[in-house]
Each structure stands twice: as C-alpha cells, then as structure tokens.
Amino acid sequence: MAEQIHSMEEAFQAKIDAEIRIEPKDWMPEAYRKTLIRQISQHAHSEIVGMLPEANWITRAPSLKRKQILLAKVQDEAGHGLYLYSAAETLGVTRDETLRDLHSGKAKYSSIFNYPTLNWADVGAIGWLVDGAAILNQIPLCRCSYGPYARAMVRVCKEESFHQRQGFELLLTLANGSPEQKAMAQDAVNRWYWPSVMMFGPSDGDSTHSAQSMNWKIKRFSNDELRQRFVDMIAEQMKVLGLEHPDKDLRWNEEKGHYDFGAINWDEFWNVVNGNGPCNKQRLNARVEAWQEGEWVREAAVAYAEKEAARKKAA
C-alpha cells in the first residue's frame, strides 16, 4: 500500500512538473489538499473581512462619484470571496466548515485588515498599497497548479487592478489638493505602507509552507521575491504622487538593480497575526454578528429550495 501511494505521489508530482493542471476529481496527496484548503479559505476570508475597513467610509464618501466607486469596489470584494469559497468547496470542504473555522479564530485572514481606517485617504491607501500588494501575490496564482483556484484568480486579478488604479487616483487627487488634503494622504500612506510590506508573509527562512507550496506550484515566487517587487514598484509610483516615502532607509542599489529597504517590524506582524492588532476583535465580531443575523435568510433559502425540489418531483 505504501509503495502504491509513493508511486501515485510520483505520478502526481510529474504532472505538476509538466505544468498539467490538477482538477477536483484527480488524485492528490492529502497534504496538497489540506494546503489548498488552508490557503484558499484564508484568501476567501481576507476578501470578506477586507470589506469592513472600507465599507466604514461608504456613508462618508465626499461625493456621489466617490461613493459609487467605493460601493462597486466593496461589492467586488464580496464576489471574490464567493469565487474562492466555491473553489475551496471543490476540495471537499463545505462553506459552513470554512466559516466556522473563521468565526472560531482557527482560520486566519490577512493581518492587514486588522488596522483601522481613520480618514478618507485611507481608502486610497488601501486601494494603492494593499490591493497593489495583493495583485503581486495573486497574478502568479493564475498559474497555480490547482485548476479551480487558478481560474477563479483570473477574474479576481482583473478587478483588483481597477481597485489599485482607483486608490492611486484618489491619493493623487489629494496629494495635488490643499495642504490639508496632502497631509491627509501622507498620513494614510505612512500608516499603511509597512503593514502592506508585511502582507507577503514572513521571510523565506521563517515561512512554514512556502517551500512546499512552490514545489507543488501552488505558489510561483517566494515571499521575499514578491516583497522586493512590491518595494520597487511603490518606490517609483511614490515619486509620481509627490509624497515622502515612509521608509527613510530606502536606497537604490545599482549593483542589485533593486531598492534596499529598512528593517521590517516582525514583532508587530506576529502580534497582529496572533490576534492582538488594533481591530482583530472588532473584525471577527462583525463577521460573527453578520453570520448570526443572516441565519433566517439561509434557513428560508433552504426551505424554498426543498419546497421547489418536492414540487418538481411531484410534477
């Protein structure tokens, strides 16, 4: 039996190495399935929880145009979560199970969403920095070895690219506005920059899952590779905004062809990951409350579906 499993694992890895997509009905190692469930559900939770910081500003948007843009963006994030929960379901886990793990604190979501949105410019900083980091993380996932996840990410990435442009445009407008508006933009960028740099996860030497995920081609690039791309991209775009860069140690390294950047506060990162960030409890409580208040809707939908099924069977 052990020899048979070993042979199946070799055949599985050969498919991965040959860039052949793994589909739901294909045999896969249990560790591969569990890794995907963890990553996809965490990604889905991040999209859903990520609606909260920006939705906080929908009623206070400064114009109808800005309100429409923000409404559309938050709606997109909800859709992304639904795509991803559906992708996770193809691995044999139910949506209720993944949500129970979120509500109990067992499952994680991106630590970036445990920071508060203190002013209107935060909406722009999230769009530019947070969604910018997400895009760099997610574009390689369009080539993920697991088919349903890869296909879901194609649409997600197209929509996220609009979100980043929206955020940059909002900040550019503020940066070229009154002194008070420029100061607001600078404050938001100062607060969101370093948490966005941390979004790529721990350094490669401290990452538990990164090496295996790359071997299975779930991931295509390491955490540190993606982080460096982000730092380089933001450094150049910051010049267009005309704002001061929050990293005072940022320097162009001619020899490497990349920017050298300052030390990351990993103590802060792990503190937020472990549930002690500014808004961890608030975010989780909001999701649990929404789930509880929506129970009657779910029950009504199930009752209607059962009634329709019975009617069709009788006919």
Side-chain angles (χ1 to χ4, degrees):
M1 183 67 177
E3 291 181 2
Q4 182 182 4
I5 292 176
H6 181 68
S7 176
M8 294 171 74
E9 287 180 344
E10 287 184 337
F12 172 82
Q13 189 62 49
K15 288 179 69 175
I16 298 286
D17 294 340
E19 300 288 347
I20 298 172
R21 288 258 174 89
I22 306 301
E23 298 297 341
K25 292 184 179 181
D26 294 342
W27 184 89
M28 64 187 74
E30 185 62 14
Y32 177 82
R33 188 183 76 88
K34 287 183 176 179
T35 296
L36 281 168
I37 290 174
R38 176 189 57 79
Q39 180 169 330
I40 297 173
S41 61
Q42 179 176 316
H43 193 165
H45 299 330
S46 298
E47 298 285 356
I48 298 300
V49 176
M51 298 163 62
L52 298 173
E54 292 180 293
N56 180 44
W57 282 90
I58 289 175
T59 58
R60 293 176 286 170
S63 69
L64 179 59
K65 173 187 172 182
R66 295 295 182 189
K67 187 188 292 281
Q68 288 175 314
I69 292 170
L70 187 53
L71 277 168
K73 182 186 177 185
V74 172
Q75 178 178 272
D76 284 349
E77 307 296 358
H80 298 171
L82 295 180
Y83 303 152
L84 294 164
Y85 284 130
S86 295
E89 286 175 322
T90 67
L91 292 158
V93 64
T94 68
R95 191 168 305 188
D96 284 358
E97 287 174 317
T98 58
L99 288 169
R100 276 198 298 270
D101 286 345
L102 171 65
H103 298 158
S104 69
K106 178 182 176 181
K108 302 295 184 183
Y109 54 87
S110 180
S111 60
I112 192 76
F113 299 118
N114 290 311
Y115 290 87
T117 45
L118 303 181
N119 63 52
W120 171 248
D122 286 31
V123 173
I126 291 175
W128 177 45
L129 295 171
V130 176
D131 292 334
I135 290 168
L136 288 177
N137 246 328
Q138 293 171 5
I139 286 176
L141 291 174
C142 296
R143 296 189 291 126
C144 171
S145 59
Y146 187 60
Y149 192 21
R151 289 188 287 272
M153 291 314 303
V154 172
R155 178 165 180 174
V156 171
C157 286
K158 288 180 179 178
E159 293 178 351
E160 291 288 4
S161 68
F162 281 100
H163 300 169
Q164 187 195 27
R165 293 173 193 175
Q166 167 262 329
F168 185 83
E169 187 273 336
L170 194 161
L171 285 177
L172 186 63
T173 300
L174 291 174
N176 290 304
S178 67
E180 291 80 9
Q181 288 174 319
K182 185 172 183 178
M184 184 190 295
Q186 184 70 62
D187 173 62
V189 169
N190 290 347
R191 285 183 288 104
W192 288 94
Y193 176 75
W194 284 109
S196 298
V197 172
M198 298 177 199
M199 275 181 69
F200 298 94
S203 295
D204 296 338
D206 298 322
S207 178
T208 306
H209 306 285
S210 189
Q212 182 60 75
S213 291
M214 289 181 67
N215 185 52
W216 280 329
K217 297 188 178 179
I218 296 172
K219 290 179 63 172
R220 296 283 176 159
F221 302 98
S222 73
N223 295 350
D224 287 336
E225 286 178 299
L226 293 172
R227 192 179 350 265
Q228 184 66 65
R229 292 185 183 189
F230 177 74
V231 169
D232 292 346
M233 177 182 75
I234 294 303
E236 295 302 315
Q237 293 178 0
M238 192 78 74
K239 296 175 184 177
V240 179
L241 287 176
L243 298 176
E244 292 183 16
H245 201 291
D247 183 359
K248 304 309 177 187
D249 295 322
L250 190 78
R251 299 289 184 276
W252 175 252
N253 188 317
E254 191 68 42
E255 184 178 340
K256 294 180 181 179
H258 292 289
Y259 280 92
D260 292 332
F261 53 95
I264 297 171
N265 186 348
W266 290 115
D267 288 340
E268 177 185 339
F269 173 79
W270 289 115
N271 192 48
V272 177
V273 168
N274 291 326
N276 301 313
C279 298
N280 288 66
K281 292 180 181 178
Q282 178 184 339
R283 300 290 184 239
L284 197 54
N285 288 342
R287 291 311 313 156
V288 171
E289 184 178 332
W291 176 257
Q292 292 171 343
E293 290 183 352
E295 184 175 2
W296 71 271
V297 179
R298 296 191 298 277
E299 290 177 350
V302 170
Y304 178 79
E306 291 175 346
K307 183 179 179 180
E308 281 296 292
R311 183 183 64 80
K312 290 179 181 178
K313 186 176 181 180

Tab-separated table of all heavy atoms in Angstrom, residues 6 17 36 39 43 57 87 94 97 103 157 191-192 250 256 276 279 281-282 313:
chain	number	residue	atom	x	y	z
A	6	HIS	N	3.275	5.894	-2.820
A	6	HIS	CA	4.509	6.547	-3.270
A	6	HIS	C	4.515	6.699	-4.787
A	6	HIS	O	4.897	7.744	-5.323
A	6	HIS	CB	5.719	5.733	-2.808
A	6	HIS	CG	7.030	6.340	-3.207
A	6	HIS	ND1	7.504	7.523	-2.682
A	6	HIS	CD2	7.960	5.936	-4.133
A	6	HIS	CE1	8.673	7.827	-3.237
A	6	HIS	NE2	8.970	6.880	-4.114
A	17	ASP	N	5.121	19.027	-12.476
A	17	ASP	CA	6.348	19.458	-13.152
A	17	ASP	C	6.113	19.698	-14.639
A	17	ASP	O	6.789	20.532	-15.250
A	17	ASP	CB	7.455	18.416	-12.964
A	17	ASP	CG	7.894	18.293	-11.511
A	17	ASP	OD1	7.638	19.236	-10.730
A	17	ASP	OD2	8.483	17.253	-11.154
A	36	LEU	N	-4.142	23.522	0.116
A	36	LEU	CA	-5.029	24.340	-0.717
A	36	LEU	C	-6.235	24.837	0.068
A	36	LEU	O	-6.626	25.999	-0.048
A	36	LEU	CB	-5.497	23.541	-1.931
A	36	LEU	CG	-4.505	23.424	-3.081
A	36	LEU	CD1	-4.977	22.376	-4.085
A	36	LEU	CD2	-4.318	24.772	-3.785
A	39	GLN	N	-5.042	27.679	2.257
A	39	GLN	CA	-4.710	28.897	1.532
A	39	GLN	C	-5.934	29.534	0.890
A	39	GLN	O	-6.127	30.747	0.974
A	39	GLN	CB	-3.663	28.601	0.459
A	39	GLN	CG	-3.278	29.859	-0.341
A	39	GLN	CD	-2.067	29.646	-1.226
A	39	GLN	OE1	-1.188	28.845	-0.921
A	39	GLN	NE2	-2.015	30.356	-2.338
A	43	HIS	N	-7.677	33.032	1.891
A	43	HIS	CA	-7.817	34.061	0.860
A	43	HIS	C	-9.269	34.551	0.808
A	43	HIS	O	-9.534	35.758	0.750
A	43	HIS	CB	-7.392	33.470	-0.486
A	43	HIS	CG	-7.203	34.467	-1.566
A	43	HIS	ND1	-6.547	34.192	-2.742
A	43	HIS	CD2	-7.600	35.761	-1.687
A	43	HIS	CE1	-6.539	35.253	-3.513
A	43	HIS	NE2	-7.185	36.222	-2.895
A	57	TRP	N	-16.428	53.693	5.264
A	57	TRP	CA	-16.422	55.043	4.702
A	57	TRP	C	-17.452	55.259	3.599
A	57	TRP	O	-17.531	56.348	3.022
A	57	TRP	CB	-15.014	55.384	4.177
A	57	TRP	CG	-14.118	55.733	5.323
A	57	TRP	CD1	-13.338	54.887	6.058
A	57	TRP	CD2	-13.975	57.022	5.921
A	57	TRP	NE1	-12.706	55.567	7.073
A	57	TRP	CE2	-13.076	56.881	7.011
A	57	TRP	CE3	-14.506	58.279	5.647
A	57	TRP	CZ2	-12.706	57.954	7.817
A	57	TRP	CZ3	-14.134	59.351	6.451
A	57	TRP	CH2	-13.251	59.182	7.520
A	87	ALA	N	-14.288	27.652	-4.861
A	87	ALA	CA	-13.083	26.890	-5.225
A	87	ALA	C	-12.688	25.948	-4.090
A	87	ALA	O	-12.297	24.793	-4.327
A	87	ALA	CB	-11.934	27.840	-5.551
A	94	THR	N	-16.964	22.099	3.143
A	94	THR	CA	-18.161	22.910	2.937
A	94	THR	C	-17.896	24.358	3.322
A	94	THR	O	-16.984	24.657	4.099
A	94	THR	CB	-19.343	22.396	3.773
A	94	THR	OG1	-19.064	22.610	5.168
A	94	THR	CG2	-19.581	20.910	3.528
A	97	GLU	N	-18.166	24.898	7.011
A	97	GLU	CA	-16.979	24.483	7.759
A	97	GLU	C	-15.907	25.570	7.744
A	97	GLU	O	-15.293	25.877	8.776
A	97	GLU	CB	-16.413	23.188	7.179
A	97	GLU	CG	-17.239	21.952	7.482
A	97	GLU	CD	-16.719	20.722	6.770
A	97	GLU	OE1	-16.364	20.817	5.571
A	97	GLU	OE2	-16.656	19.656	7.404
A	103	HIS	N	-14.862	31.994	12.271
A	103	HIS	CA	-15.552	32.574	13.414
A	103	HIS	C	-14.976	32.097	14.747
A	103	HIS	O	-15.054	32.810	15.755
A	103	HIS	CB	-17.049	32.252	13.345
A	103	HIS	CG	-17.715	32.816	12.134
A	103	HIS	ND1	-18.894	32.328	11.619
A	103	HIS	CD2	-17.339	33.836	11.307
A	103	HIS	CE1	-19.224	33.011	10.541
A	103	HIS	NE2	-18.308	33.933	10.338
A	157	CYS	N	-8.014	39.032	-10.379
A	157	CYS	CA	-6.879	39.922	-10.685
A	157	CYS	C	-7.294	41.077	-11.596
A	157	CYS	O	-6.802	42.196	-11.448
A	157	CYS	CB	-5.743	39.127	-11.327
A	157	CYS	SG	-4.860	38.082	-10.138
A	191	ARG	N	0.863	55.213	7.491
A	191	ARG	CA	0.309	54.169	8.346
A	191	ARG	C	0.119	52.844	7.628
A	191	ARG	O	0.191	51.763	8.243
A	191	ARG	CB	-1.031	54.625	8.946
A	191	ARG	CG	-0.865	55.643	10.059
A	191	ARG	CD	-2.176	56.042	10.696
A	191	ARG	NE	-2.995	56.884	9.825
A	191	ARG	CZ	-4.056	56.479	9.162
A	191	ARG	NH1	-4.469	55.216	9.262
A	191	ARG	NH2	-4.737	57.302	8.386
A	192	TRP	N	-0.139	52.853	6.320
A	192	TRP	CA	-0.450	51.620	5.597
A	192	TRP	C	0.740	51.006	4.866
A	192	TRP	O	0.681	49.841	4.456
A	192	TRP	CB	-1.589	51.862	4.595
A	192	TRP	CG	-2.909	52.030	5.276
A	192	TRP	CD1	-3.504	53.196	5.656
A	192	TRP	CD2	-3.793	50.992	5.695
A	192	TRP	NE1	-4.697	52.957	6.274
A	192	TRP	CE2	-4.903	51.605	6.306
A	192	TRP	CE3	-3.758	49.600	5.593
A	192	TRP	CZ2	-5.970	50.871	6.824
A	192	TRP	CZ3	-4.823	48.869	6.112
A	192	TRP	CH2	-5.915	49.503	6.716
A	250	LEU	N	15.282	53.624	2.583
A	250	LEU	CA	15.158	53.163	1.196
A	250	LEU	C	16.287	53.750	0.342
A	250	LEU	O	16.491	54.958	0.327
A	250	LEU	CB	13.802	53.590	0.629
A	250	LEU	CG	13.432	52.982	-0.733
A	250	LEU	CD1	12.948	51.545	-0.559
A	250	LEU	CD2	12.349	53.825	-1.418
A	256	LYS	N	22.507	45.578	-7.514
A	256	LYS	CA	21.424	44.592	-7.497
A	256	LYS	C	20.303	44.934	-8.472
A	256	LYS	O	19.530	44.063	-8.878
A	256	LYS	CB	20.841	44.478	-6.083
A	256	LYS	CG	21.813	43.913	-5.060
A	256	LYS	CD	21.130	43.837	-3.707
A	256	LYS	CE	22.069	43.292	-2.633
A	256	LYS	NZ	21.406	43.251	-1.297
A	276	ASN	N	-3.729	40.251	18.274
A	276	ASN	CA	-3.585	41.412	19.154
A	276	ASN	C	-3.445	42.735	18.403
A	276	ASN	O	-2.898	43.693	18.948
A	276	ASN	CB	-2.366	41.196	20.063
A	276	ASN	CG	-2.495	39.941	20.901
A	276	ASN	OD1	-3.538	39.703	21.507
A	276	ASN	ND2	-1.459	39.118	20.913
A	279	CYS	N	-7.647	46.039	15.501
A	279	CYS	CA	-9.056	45.760	15.198
A	279	CYS	C	-9.387	44.275	15.089
A	279	CYS	O	-10.447	43.933	14.564
A	279	CYS	CB	-9.452	46.454	13.892
A	279	CYS	SG	-9.334	48.249	13.917
A	281	LYS	N	-10.408	41.925	17.213
A	281	LYS	CA	-11.659	41.522	17.854
A	281	LYS	C	-12.853	42.168	17.167
A	281	LYS	O	-13.900	41.537	16.980
A	281	LYS	CB	-11.621	41.896	19.337
A	281	LYS	CG	-10.602	41.086	20.135
A	281	LYS	CD	-10.587	41.496	21.598
A	281	LYS	CE	-9.546	40.688	22.373
A	281	LYS	NZ	-9.478	41.110	23.803
A	282	GLN	N	-12.690	43.420	16.778
A	282	GLN	CA	-13.778	44.144	16.107
A	282	GLN	C	-14.142	43.484	14.786
A	282	GLN	O	-15.322	43.300	14.468
A	282	GLN	CB	-13.351	45.592	15.873
A	282	GLN	CG	-14.371	46.443	15.140
A	282	GLN	CD	-13.831	47.842	14.848
A	282	GLN	OE1	-12.903	48.307	15.500
A	282	GLN	NE2	-14.419	48.498	13.874
A	313	LYS	N	-40.554	17.174	-8.191
A	313	LYS	CA	-40.617	15.714	-8.136
A	313	LYS	C	-42.045	15.229	-8.263
A	313	LYS	O	-42.327	14.223	-8.940
A	313	LYS	CB	-40.017	15.239	-6.806
A	313	LYS	CG	-39.901	13.735	-6.694
A	313	LYS	CD	-39.212	13.342	-5.394
A	313	LYS	CE	-39.082	11.833	-5.297
A	313	LYS	NZ	-38.418	11.412	-4.023
